[in-house]
Amino acid sequence: MAELVMVHGIGPDDETGQRLREDWTRALARTLRNNDHGEAADRLDSGAVTVDMAYYRHLYRDYVPQDDFDVRLPAPIAATGVEVARDIIDNICRHASDPEDSEEAAHALEELTVEVGPEQGPLEPLRMFVSMMGRLGPVARSGFAALSSTGAFHLGQVAAYLDDERVREGAIEAVLSRVTPDTKVVLAHSLGTVVAYEALHRLEQPLPLLVTFGSPLGLRSIIRGRLRPQPLRSPAHLKRWVNVADRDDFIVATLRLRRLFPKDDAVLERTRRVSNRNFDPHAATEYLSRWETVEPLAGLL
């Protein structure tokens, strides 16, 4: 019966739910303490606040690469991965803070448009996109696509969630099985924001707060015909939704997520912008070190 439910995003298959929960909780407590909320930090550290991680990475077991060059993605999932990769490169092009990063991404899109053709088979375009992403400044600094298999697997996690119903329903159930009437906050990162969005639309009791950060919810490859439900709207039983984004986070599709929702939606607030450290602006613990992310939770913990 957790008061705080966390929902992780993409990442390595050997990163356990317990480790993620401990890392996130430690980062939360540190930020609370650094911002004069020592009592709330002590409650987190002592376990007085019940915390759980909705873990679903084990659902990707069939897609885990066996070596540095292995890509274990069926053709439809690989094709969706290409769509997601294209959108990510476009994100860098549109809102990177460094003009050189934007220009580099624009050249990459132009080059890939010329080189990628249907005659190459389903996996080769994905490998090409992953290779190109690995050379782009914001992605290369994060290590997201350091190896072809790593980058393809990370993109494959997003694509498999969208295309593999077993993965999708398992991830949604991981959230719903942990959210109870005692839950005060759902805290979601990266792909976890998509999982939380879909899961909370099935929720049948009030939830005071959802905090999302590093969210790809605005990606065209996700919202166009794949995100459920359509059109975009806040979950009916959610009372408040705070979204946080770094403009150099390559996963973040839009810095104005609120504009994709109905004008009369009073639940989702205007996106809070932060500036994470340059080497990995998408990292969950980077977001959790920012008061803009943690402040909405402070009064509830």
Side-chain angles (χ1 to χ4, degrees):
M1 303 298 178
E3 296 169 89
L4 171 59
V5 173
M6 302 166 170
V7 191
H8 64 80
I10 54 179
D13 64 297
D14 59 352
E15 196 172 42
T16 66
Q18 179 178 346
R19 176 183 163 188
L20 285 165
R21 177 173 53 79
E22 290 173 353
D23 288 349
W24 286 30
T25 301
R26 192 181 304 114
L28 271 173
R30 186 186 306 115
T31 303
L32 286 165
R33 192 167 280 112
N34 289 343
N35 288 274
D36 301 321
H37 284 74
E39 184 176 343
D42 290 341
R43 284 173 50 77
L44 266 177
D45 283 337
S46 67
V49 175
T50 50
V51 181
D52 203 354
M53 174 66 70
Y55 188 76
Y56 56 91
R57 229 170 258 168
H58 60 286
L59 299 171
Y60 296 111
R61 193 167 293 123
D62 293 344
Y63 305 125
V64 177
Q66 301 303 301
D67 57 48
D68 292 351
F69 303 98
D70 184 32
V71 177
R72 294 175 172 255
L73 299 175
I77 292 178
T80 298
V82 169
E83 288 186 59
V84 175
R86 193 186 299 274
D87 281 353
I88 289 173
I89 297 174
D90 184 57
N91 290 346
I92 299 170
C93 180
R94 287 186 296 108
H95 58 65
S97 62
D98 188 335
E100 290 187 6
D101 287 338
S102 295
E103 185 177 352
E104 185 181 31
H107 286 318
L109 279 178
E110 186 177 327
E111 181 179 336
L112 287 165
T113 300
V114 172
E115 292 187 5
V116 174
E119 70 282 354
Q120 294 167 309
L123 290 179
E124 188 57 29
L126 180 62
R127 289 190 179 99
M128 292 173 64
F129 269 88
V130 169
S131 177
M132 181 63 74
M133 285 173 62
R135 298 200 295 270
L136 298 179
V139 183
R141 289 191 291 269
S142 73
F144 175 87
L147 298 172
S148 61
S149 62
T150 302
F153 178 56
H154 287 169
L155 287 173
Q157 291 178 48
V158 181
Y161 177 82
L162 297 172
D163 289 346
D164 185 334
E165 285 299 317
R166 176 189 61 85
V167 171
R168 191 179 208 138
E169 290 301 319
I172 289 172
E173 178 56 28
V175 175
L176 292 179
S177 64
R178 287 161 176 81
V179 177
T180 71
D182 296 321
T183 303
K184 299 176 181 178
V185 184
V186 170
L187 186 64
H189 173 238
S190 188
L191 177 60
T193 68
V194 178
V195 180
Y197 171 86
E198 296 196 335
L200 296 181
H201 272 283
R202 303 184 189 182
L203 196 65
E204 296 182 353
Q205 73 263 1
L207 175 67
L209 176 65
L210 169 65
V211 177
T212 55
F213 48 99
S215 176
L217 269 171
L219 281 180
R220 287 170 295 181
S221 52
I222 290 176
I223 66 173
R224 287 185 179 174
R226 287 192 169 99
L227 196 64
R228 304 170 187 166
Q230 296 266 1
L232 289 174
R233 61 184 183 276
S234 293
H237 295 287
L238 180 61
K239 302 305 178 185
R240 183 187 183 195
W241 180 353
V242 175
N243 185 56
V244 186
D246 183 317
R247 67 181 300 173
D248 288 321
D249 181 348
F250 50 89
I251 294 291
V252 170
T254 175
L255 300 173
R256 299 180 179 182
L257 184 62
R258 180 70 186 78
R259 294 179 64 179
L260 301 180
F261 284 68
K263 292 182 179 180
D264 61 352
D265 190 320
V267 176
L268 175 60
E269 300 178 3
R270 183 177 180 180
T271 295
R272 301 182 177 197
R273 299 188 189 183
V274 296
S275 182
N276 294 332
R277 285 184 291 183
N278 193 41
F279 70 87
D280 195 357
H282 183 61
T285 51
E286 281 298 310
Y287 276 105
L288 294 175
S289 71
R290 306 298 165 210
W291 183 236
E292 291 90 343
T293 309
V294 178
E295 181 272 331
L297 288 72
L300 296 175
L301 300 179

